[in-house]
């Protein structure tokens, strides 16, 4: 990605506000890691501290954590599908809470009708204008 493309990029994470604090934290962590894999250029270089010790690089851009109800997450996920050529969309479903391995999660996704999926959170990253179109009316998760 060029510097111009990175400057126009916006990433947000939307989480079901009705989840308990543990699943909220886990959902944010899983989606943030997945965004980091999809956009490694958003992670800065290691930086030295005052004593010369190198600290691992962190994200160079803010990633707001927004709130939505489960029903709104489902409709948001569906609305985003037609924009996926322009947006990177990563979702996390409740199947992660009942499966013990990635393989079991894959099987659960394959066997569950899409309209029965319950979303814990959705991360999206792409042009600011498009991301704002879908998330501009959502409040911060507090």
């Amino acid at each position: 990605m060029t510097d111009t493309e990175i400057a126009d990029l916006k990433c947000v994470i939307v989480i079901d506000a009705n989840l308990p604090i543990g699943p909220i934290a886990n959902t944010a962590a899983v989606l943030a890691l997945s965004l980091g894999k999809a956009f490694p250029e958003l992670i800065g270089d290691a930086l030295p501290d005052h004593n010369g010790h190198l600290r691992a690089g962190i994200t160079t851009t803010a990633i707001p954590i927004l709130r939505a109800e489960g029903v709104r997450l489902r409709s948001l996920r569906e609305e985003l599908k037609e924009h996926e050529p322009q947006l990177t969309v990563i979702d996390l479903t409740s199947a992660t809470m009942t499966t013990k391995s990635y393989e079991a999660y894959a099987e659960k996704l394959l066997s569950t009708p899409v309209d029965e999926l319950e979303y814990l959170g959705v991360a999206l990253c792409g042009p600011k204008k498009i991301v704002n179109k879908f998330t501009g009316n959502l409040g911060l998760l507090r």
Side-chain angles (χ1 to χ4, degrees), residues 21 26 43 101:
I21 192 70
N26 183 263
I43 307 301
S101 68

Side-chain angles (χ1 to χ4, degrees), residues 66-129:
L66 307 175
R67 61 182 295 133
E69 303 294 318
V71 173
R72 177 65 185 116
L73 274 173
R74 179 191 308 273
S75 65
L76 175 65
R77 182 62 187 100
E78 288 305 309
E79 293 168 19
L80 292 170
K81 285 183 179 177
E82 71 179 82
H83 297 276
E84 284 190 58
Q86 298 167 295
L87 292 175
T88 296
V89 181
I90 304 163
D91 59 58
L92 190 68
T93 72
S94 63
T96 61
M97 298 172 87
T98 59
T99 55
K100 302 289 184 205
S101 68
Y102 198 70
E103 292 77 18
Y105 177 62
E107 289 174 20
K108 186 81 168 181
L109 280 177
L110 192 58
S111 66
T112 304
V114 172
D115 62 343
E116 292 179 19
L117 291 174
E118 293 178 26
Y119 295 96
L120 304 179
V122 176
L124 56 148
C125 195
K128 288 178 187 175
K129 184 176 180 179

Side-chain angles (χ1 to χ4, degrees), residues 10-16 24-36 62-68 73 76 90 92 120-125 131 135 138-141:
K10 182 171 184 177
C11 300
V12 302
I13 296 174
V14 185
I15 297 178
D16 184 342
I24 284 175
N26 183 263
T27 298
V30 169
L31 292 173
L33 279 169
S34 299
L35 281 173
I63 302 175
I65 308 293
L66 307 175
R67 61 182 295 133
L73 274 173
L76 175 65
I90 304 163
L92 190 68
L120 304 179
V122 176
L124 56 148
C125 195
V131 172
T135 63
L138 300 175
L140 289 172
L141 181 63

